[in-house]
Amino acid sequence: MENTTLLLNIIWTMLGAILVYFMQAGFALVETGFTRAKNAGNICMKNMMDFVLGSLFFFILGFPLMFGNNIGGILGGSGFFNPYSLADSDGLFNGLPIAVFMIFHTVFCATAATIVSGAMAERTKFSSYLIYSACISVFIYPITGHWIWGGGWLTEIGFHDFAGSTAVHMVGGVCALVGAKIVGPRIGKYNEDGTPNAIPGHNIPLGVLGVFILWFCWFGFNCGSTTAATTTIGDIAMTTNLAAAASTLVTLLFTWKRYGKPDVSMTLNGSLAGLVAITAGCDVVTPYEAIIIGALAGLIVVLAIEFIDKVVKIDDPVGAVGVHGCCGLLGTLLTGVFGEGVSFLPQLIGVVSVLAYAGVMAFIIFTIIKKTIGLRVSDQEQLDGLDLHEHGMSAYNGFRMDK
């Protein structure tokens, strides 16, 4: 019976990992569809390389920093270059074969890194982005991940983030905010008086397909975080789905009222906002509480994206900061309001500390890159498109790429 249970847990966790991996395709499609055709190949390459570099660097250094022997509640300090050494005598780690546990967290790490690519799209050097992607897999995600999931200090004070509203999404959103600020806006985004211009994406159907894929894969993201074939999987799936549905509907209605028409791209971001917000507490809230969390996320994501664009004047082409940063924070805090057995104060302490650490580290990393090899492409490269200058190709051969 024990072997059967372990086998079922392995199968379920691996299925979750595979679904989370496929989120890379969803992110690639959303980001490609929401930006211009002349940069489509570049964005796809960034999403591919997020996973490639994340896999390698998380295996060598990131996983040991996140799950190695606890050093003062701050970071792990063992298993470097050989994370398999962290397994017990039976080859298990946290009740699973260590390779199963490791691949599950590898795909989570890659998700945090890929959030940034959309916010910095259309004006960031490809080489510089590769360096950043490796850095988040070593210096940012594993450290805060240790605090939350690796037995660190946030675990000890009762912080609850079941599947990563803060650990994955807010971390990625904060890094996206810092990166987009430092790299600067796209040419033509802001007028001399500071008013923003809309730069429409070139392929909304691609963006819609990306959101469908992400919604589908989110069941692996949240339900798979049990890392066990438990009876709670259905409950987690229900809260996840209801929050996303409520957020989508509220965003649609809110933009319809606010703009006079139901905004397609914003409604798609509303779907993702609900998914991000429910990720922290999907295991400890009721279905109706999930609907409330989703509905609030559907409102907040619109206001946050507008605020970042019009007031803070940070150019985020896909709304990544609003979706992942703001709604990740919101969902984590609301887990402290609604979640059974969860207190609000640890949630507040957790989001503030993670936000501060991720923000400072991202600022250091992006500043060093900017001061050394440079972060931003030239104006001419931006006008012509990154596909041409960074990769010597066109994503849509034979079509006009000036849009």
Side-chain angles (χ1 to χ4, degrees), residues 343-369:
S343 300
F344 182 79
L345 184 58
Q347 301 300 103
L348 178 61
I349 293 171
V351 296
V352 170
S353 60
V354 172
L355 189 155
Y357 177 81
V360 169
M361 288 301 298
F363 177 81
I364 292 171
I365 291 166
F366 281 123
T367 300
I368 290 173
I369 294 172

Side-chain angles (χ1 to χ4, degrees), residues 312-326:
V312 184
K313 302 189 188 310
I314 292 178
D315 183 12
D316 178 2
V318 302
V321 178
V323 170
H324 299 278
C326 297

Side-chain angles (χ1 to χ4, degrees), residues 14 17 22 28 55 60 145 200 211 314 347 354 390 393:
M14 284 302 303
F22 196 51
S55 295
I60 295 168
V211 170
I314 292 178
Q347 301 300 103
V354 172
E390 294 277 27
M393 51 75 72

Side-chain angles (χ1 to χ4, degrees), residues 234-244 278 281-283 285-287 290-291:
D235 296 321
I236 294 169
M238 282 301 301
T239 55
T240 298
N241 192 61
L242 288 169
I278 196 60
C282 57
D283 63 322
V285 299
T286 68
I291 290 172

Side-chain angles (χ1 to χ4, degrees), residues 60-182:
I60 295 168
L61 297 171
F63 187 85
L65 283 168
M66 190 166 174
F67 292 106
N69 293 336
N70 186 30
I71 299 178
I74 304 300
L75 49 79
S78 59
F80 297 107
F81 302 100
N82 183 25
Y84 281 84
S85 65
L86 298 174
D88 63 21
S89 58
D90 295 321
L92 301 179
F93 187 87
N94 282 9
L96 288 169
I98 191 167
V100 174
F101 188 83
M102 199 183 311
I103 194 64
F104 188 78
H105 280 278
T106 296
V107 294
F108 269 55
C109 177
T111 300
T114 205
I115 289 167
V116 185
S117 62
M120 298 180 66
E122 303 198 300
R123 72 273 202 205
T124 305
K125 284 185 178 181
F126 184 65
S127 57
S128 301
Y129 188 78
L130 295 181
I131 294 171
Y132 160 74
S133 186
C135 286
I136 192 175
S137 304
V138 176
F139 301 116
I140 301 179
Y141 174 79
I143 305 302
T144 54
H146 180 80
W147 299 354
I148 297 167
W149 291 332
W153 70 276
L154 286 180
T155 305
E156 294 172 356
I157 68 170
F159 181 75
H160 186 90
D161 185 9
F162 181 70
S165 286
T166 289
V168 178
H169 296 283
M170 196 186 80
V171 165
V174 170
C175 293
L177 177 69
V178 175
K181 173 62 177 177
I182 292 177

Side-chain angles (χ1 to χ4, degrees), residues 197-208:
N197 296 309
I199 303 179
H202 82 284
N203 195 325
I204 292 300
L206 276 186
V208 174

